[in-house]
């Protein structure tokens, strides 16, 4: 008789987006340096670009923690009326359908009034489809920081951090087995740990190489179906 599986509740893990929990490697070192050097930026605008899963959200959250930035757009925030310096975060400018004149006004206010703006995007500034010429010019003048896919050392740290967030004791040998067999992204690393946790709870199974292999095969199958 097959042992009935427990249906696990996929409760959100407490994943810290604080600066102290930001893993640093060659793929994101320049971006972390930019975050840490605030407010002494040589240019008021910094744009971090990189593929999905490269860590833009964590970097943005860490910067907000350091700077107390307003997440823009925010109806209660008027950069033109801001006295002295201000800090604002604009995420996913390649995907969100922003009001271009309003975005230009924000960037211009930062340039003229001592504010700082951090922007994130999957695409570099030159590849963005912006209709307003002045906005294109402002974005291309920003300090550009490009993220690369994380290397193996950085991914090990990410996997172990996500496991700790979910209160999982993960054998480093399982991580060494999994990393060469999975997509090199923060998203994939996080998804792998989440699936391991769910599968372990559902089947009351030990988290080891056998379970990791099963999870990796499921992830690969879903990827193939989506492609």
């Amino acid at each position: 008789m097959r042992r009935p599986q427990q249906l696990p509740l996929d409760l959100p893990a407490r994943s810290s987006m604080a600066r102290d929990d930001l893993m640093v490697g060659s793929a994101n070192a320049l971006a972390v340096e930019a975050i840490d050097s605030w407010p002494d930026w040589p240019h008021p605008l910094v744009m971090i670009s990189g593929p999905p899963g490269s860590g833009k959200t964590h970097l943005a959250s860490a910067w907000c923690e350091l700077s107390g930035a307003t997440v823009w757009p925010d109806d209660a925030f008027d950069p033109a009326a801001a006295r002295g310096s201000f800090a604002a975060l604009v995420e996913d400018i390649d995907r969100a359908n922003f009001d271009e004149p309003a975005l230009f006004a924000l960037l211009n206010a930062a340039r003229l009034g001592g504010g700082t703006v951090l922007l994130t995007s999957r695409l570099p500034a030159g590849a963005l489809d912006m209709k307003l010429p002045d906005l294109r010019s402002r974005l291309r003048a920003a300090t550009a920081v490009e993220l690369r896919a994380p290397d193996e050392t950085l991914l090990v740290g990410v996997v172990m951090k996500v496991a700790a967030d979910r209160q999982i004791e993960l054998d480093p040998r399982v991580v060494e087995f999994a990393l060469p067999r999975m997509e090199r992204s923060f998203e994939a690393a996080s998804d792998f740990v989440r699936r391991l946790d769910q599968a372990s709870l559902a089947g009351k199974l030990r988290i080891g190489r056998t379970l990791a292999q099963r999870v990796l095969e499921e992830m690969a199958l879903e990827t193939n179906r989506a492609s």
Side-chain angles (χ1 to χ4, degrees), residues 195-206:
R195 289 169 182 258
L196 268 183
D197 190 20
Q198 284 188 312
S200 174
L201 291 172
K204 297 183 180 179
L205 301 171
R206 183 181 70 87

Side-chain angles (χ1 to χ4, degrees), residues 7 20 25 30-31 49 60 81 102 107 123 131-132 147 160 169 179 189 195 202-203:
L7 294 177
D20 289 345
L30 290 177
S49 62
L107 303 187
L123 301 174
K131 305 297 187 294
L132 197 63
L147 297 170
M160 298 306 291
E169 292 186 11
L179 287 183
R195 289 169 182 258

Side-chain angles (χ1 to χ4, degrees), residues 1 15 25 30 34 57 82 112 120 128 143 163 199-200 202-203 205 208 212:
M1 178 180 296
S15 181
L30 290 177
T57 297
L112 298 176
T120 68
L128 294 173
T143 298
S200 174
L205 301 171

Side-chain angles (χ1 to χ4, degrees), residues 19-225:
R19 169 61 184 89
D20 289 345
D21 292 309
L22 186 61
M23 301 294 172
V24 184
S26 60
N28 67 351
L30 290 177
V32 175
E33 183 180 344
I35 296 300
D36 287 344
S37 66
W38 182 88
D40 300 319
W41 287 355
H43 193 280
L45 313 178
V46 170
M47 179 170 166
I48 297 177
S49 62
S54 56
K56 296 186 294 296
T57 297
H58 195 161
L59 286 161
S61 296
W63 183 69
C64 283
E65 176 192 6
L66 293 171
S67 66
T70 297
V71 179
W72 190 90
D74 181 341
D75 292 338
F77 173 67
D78 180 4
R83 296 182 178 180
S85 62
F86 66 85
L89 169 66
V90 185
E91 291 193 271
D92 301 325
I93 62 171
D94 58 310
R95 287 182 284 178
N97 186 25
F98 289 127
D99 179 334
E100 291 193 14
L103 179 55
F104 172 74
L106 171 71
L107 303 187
N108 209 41
R111 187 178 72 86
L112 298 176
T116 48
V117 180
L118 178 67
L119 307 107
T120 68
S121 172
R122 293 177 302 173
L123 301 174
L128 294 173
D129 182 23
M130 296 294 179
K131 305 297 187 294
L132 197 63
D134 287 342
L135 178 57
R136 292 200 302 268
S137 176
R138 286 286 182 270
L139 290 172
R140 290 172 182 173
T143 298
V145 183
E146 186 174 353
L147 297 170
R148 302 191 304 274
D151 58 27
E152 187 164 314
T153 300
L154 186 53
L155 278 180
V156 168
V158 171
V159 169
M160 298 306 291
K161 174 189 177 299
V162 175
D165 289 340
R166 301 187 76 96
Q167 300 182 352
I168 301 172
E169 292 186 11
L170 193 57
D171 189 330
R173 291 174 295 182
V174 174
V175 182
E176 292 174 5
F177 168 77
L179 287 183
R181 297 167 172 82
M182 61 188 288
E183 175 188 305
R184 286 183 175 272
S185 74
F186 291 156
E187 284 182 346
S190 181
D191 189 36
F192 170 68
V193 177
R194 179 185 64 81
R195 289 169 182 258
L196 268 183
D197 190 20
Q198 284 188 312
S200 174
L201 291 172
K204 297 183 180 179
L205 301 171
R206 183 181 70 87
I207 295 180
R209 179 167 170 166
T210 300
L211 186 59
Q213 176 68 42
R214 193 181 91 189
V215 167
L216 290 167
E217 289 174 354
E218 291 173 355
M219 292 173 68
L221 183 61
E222 290 183 12
T223 300
N224 291 335
R225 285 174 177 168

